[in-house]
Amino acid sequence: MSCNLPRFSRPRGFTLLELLVVMVIIGLLAGYVAPKYFSQIGKSEVKAARAQIDAIEKALDQFRIDTGRYPTSEEGLAALVARPGNEGKWAGPYLRKALPNDPWGRPYVYRFPGERAEFDLFSYGKDGQPGGTGEAEDVGNW
Protein backbone atom coordinates (compact mmCIF):
# COMPACT_ATOMS: atom_id res chain seq x y z
CA MET A 1 0.00 0.00 0.00
CA SER A 2 1.58 3.23 -1.10
CA CYS A 3 0.87 6.64 0.28
CA ASN A 4 -0.84 9.03 -2.18
CA LEU A 5 0.37 12.18 -0.43
CA PRO A 6 2.85 14.35 -2.24
CA ARG A 7 6.39 13.87 -1.03
CA PHE A 8 6.68 17.29 0.65
CA SER A 9 3.61 16.78 2.93
CA ARG A 10 4.55 13.41 4.46
CA PRO A 11 5.02 13.54 8.25
CA ARG A 12 8.65 13.64 9.31
CA GLY A 13 10.36 12.62 12.56
CA PHE A 14 12.84 14.66 14.51
CA THR A 15 16.43 14.85 13.36
CA LEU A 16 19.25 13.66 15.57
CA LEU A 17 20.43 17.25 16.01
CA GLU A 18 17.00 18.39 17.25
CA LEU A 19 16.90 15.54 19.76
CA LEU A 20 20.39 16.39 21.01
CA VAL A 21 19.44 20.05 21.51
CA VAL A 22 16.39 19.04 23.54
CA MET A 23 18.50 16.66 25.66
CA VAL A 24 21.06 19.42 26.37
CA ILE A 25 18.28 21.82 27.44
CA ILE A 26 16.77 19.19 29.77
CA GLY A 27 20.21 18.48 31.23
CA LEU A 28 20.83 22.18 31.90
CA LEU A 29 17.46 22.56 33.60
CA ALA A 30 18.05 19.47 35.75
CA GLY A 31 21.50 20.76 36.72
CA TYR A 32 19.96 24.03 37.87
CA VAL A 33 16.85 22.69 39.65
CA ALA A 34 18.17 19.51 41.33
CA PRO A 35 20.61 21.15 43.80
CA LYS A 36 17.93 23.60 44.96
CA TYR A 37 15.42 20.78 45.39
CA PHE A 38 17.76 18.52 47.37
CA SER A 39 18.89 21.36 49.67
CA GLN A 40 15.23 21.83 50.66
CA ILE A 41 14.98 18.15 51.61
CA GLY A 42 17.84 18.55 54.10
CA LYS A 43 16.20 21.60 55.67
CA SER A 44 12.89 19.78 56.01
CA GLU A 45 14.59 16.86 57.80
CA VAL A 46 16.05 19.26 60.38
CA LYS A 47 12.62 20.89 60.85
CA ALA A 48 11.01 17.46 61.28
CA ALA A 49 13.60 16.55 63.92
CA ARG A 50 12.88 19.77 65.83
CA ALA A 51 9.12 19.07 65.71
CA GLN A 52 9.59 15.50 66.94
CA ILE A 53 11.87 16.66 69.76
CA ASP A 54 9.24 19.21 70.79
CA ALA A 55 6.52 16.51 70.88
CA ILE A 56 8.73 14.14 72.89
CA GLU A 57 9.57 16.99 75.31
CA LYS A 58 5.87 17.54 75.94
CA ALA A 59 5.41 13.83 76.60
CA LEU A 60 8.34 13.91 79.03
CA ASP A 61 6.78 16.88 80.82
CA GLN A 62 3.49 14.98 81.13
CA PHE A 63 5.38 11.97 82.52
CA ARG A 64 6.95 14.29 85.10
CA ILE A 65 3.58 15.78 86.07
CA ASP A 66 2.15 12.30 86.64
CA THR A 67 5.13 10.65 88.36
CA GLY A 68 6.95 13.59 89.91
CA ARG A 69 10.16 12.89 88.00
CA TYR A 70 11.63 12.50 84.53
CA PRO A 71 12.57 9.00 83.33
CA THR A 72 16.11 7.99 84.20
CA SER A 73 18.68 7.52 81.43
CA GLU A 74 18.40 3.77 82.01
CA GLU A 75 14.59 3.83 81.57
CA GLY A 76 15.02 6.06 78.56
CA LEU A 77 12.29 7.23 76.25
CA ALA A 78 10.70 3.77 76.37
CA ALA A 79 9.14 4.91 79.67
CA LEU A 80 6.84 7.11 77.60
CA VAL A 81 5.16 4.15 75.90
CA ALA A 82 5.50 1.33 78.47
CA ARG A 83 5.21 1.48 82.28
CA PRO A 84 8.62 1.39 83.96
CA GLY A 85 8.91 -1.25 86.69
CA ASN A 86 7.23 -0.33 90.01
CA GLU A 87 5.97 3.08 88.83
CA GLY A 88 2.49 3.27 90.32
CA LYS A 89 1.69 6.83 89.20
CA TRP A 90 2.39 6.19 85.51
CA ALA A 91 -0.67 7.19 83.45
CA GLY A 92 0.67 6.65 79.94
CA PRO A 93 1.30 5.93 77.22
CA TYR A 94 2.34 9.52 76.67
CA LEU A 95 2.81 9.22 72.91
CA ARG A 96 -0.05 8.33 70.56
CA LYS A 97 2.19 6.25 68.33
CA ALA A 98 5.37 4.28 68.86
CA LEU A 99 8.50 6.19 69.77
CA PRO A 100 9.78 7.74 66.52
CA ASN A 101 13.29 7.58 65.17
CA ASP A 102 14.90 10.77 63.94
CA PRO A 103 14.41 11.67 60.25
CA TRP A 104 17.68 9.86 59.43
CA GLY A 105 16.45 6.57 60.91
CA ARG A 106 18.35 6.58 64.21
CA PRO A 107 16.89 6.68 67.74
CA TYR A 108 16.93 9.95 69.66
CA VAL A 109 19.46 10.26 72.48
CA TYR A 110 18.02 10.94 75.94
CA ARG A 111 20.06 11.76 79.05
CA PHE A 112 18.82 12.56 82.52
CA PRO A 113 20.26 14.53 84.15
CA GLY A 114 21.30 16.52 81.13
CA GLU A 115 24.52 18.37 80.45
CA ARG A 116 22.90 21.34 78.68
CA ALA A 117 19.41 21.36 80.24
CA GLU A 118 17.44 19.51 82.91
CA PHE A 119 17.41 16.62 80.45
CA ASP A 120 19.08 16.33 77.06
CA LEU A 121 17.07 15.06 74.11
CA PHE A 122 18.78 15.19 70.75
CA SER A 123 19.71 13.67 67.41
CA TYR A 124 23.23 13.61 66.05
CA GLY A 125 21.93 14.86 62.69
CA LYS A 126 22.48 13.51 59.22
CA ASP A 127 26.00 12.20 59.83
CA GLY A 128 25.13 10.40 63.09
CA GLN A 129 28.24 11.84 64.78
CA PRO A 130 28.53 14.39 67.60
CA GLY A 131 28.97 17.98 66.43
CA GLY A 132 28.91 18.91 62.79
CA THR A 133 27.63 21.83 60.77
CA GLY A 134 24.71 22.40 58.43
CA GLU A 135 22.58 19.29 57.97
CA ALA A 136 25.10 17.25 59.99
CA GLU A 137 24.70 19.53 63.04
CA ASP A 138 23.20 18.03 66.19
CA VAL A 139 19.53 18.91 66.75
CA GLY A 140 18.44 19.08 70.39
CA ASN A 141 16.24 20.62 73.05
CA TRP A 142 18.82 23.24 73.99
Side-chain angles (χ1 to χ4, degrees), residues 69 75 79 82-88 90:
R69 65 179 181 87
E75 292 170 334
R83 180 187 304 270
N86 299 331
E87 183 55 65
W90 190 83

Side-chain angles (χ1 to χ4, degrees), residues 21-37:
V21 168
V22 169
M23 294 299 289
V24 167
I25 291 171
I26 290 172
L28 289 172
L29 288 173
Y32 177 74
V33 171
K36 292 182 183 262
Y37 172 75

Side-chain angles (χ1 to χ4, degrees), residues 44-57 59-60 72-80 95 97-112 119-126 128 137-142:
S44 67
E45 288 173 333
V46 171
K47 288 180 182 179
R50 290 190 196 286
Q52 286 179 332
I53 287 171
D54 185 52
I56 296 170
E57 270 187 302
L60 286 165
T72 64
S73 293
E74 292 77 29
E75 292 170 334
L77 297 175
L80 299 175
L95 295 172
K97 298 180 181 178
L99 191 62
N101 284 333
D102 68 14
W104 301 279
R106 292 181 292 277
Y108 285 99
V109 179
Y110 171 74
R111 293 184 187 141
F112 180 78
F119 62 86
D120 291 344
L121 176 62
F122 60 96
S123 165
Y124 285 121
K126 186 175 184 175
E137 186 176 9
D138 297 350
V139 181
N141 67 327
W142 47 81

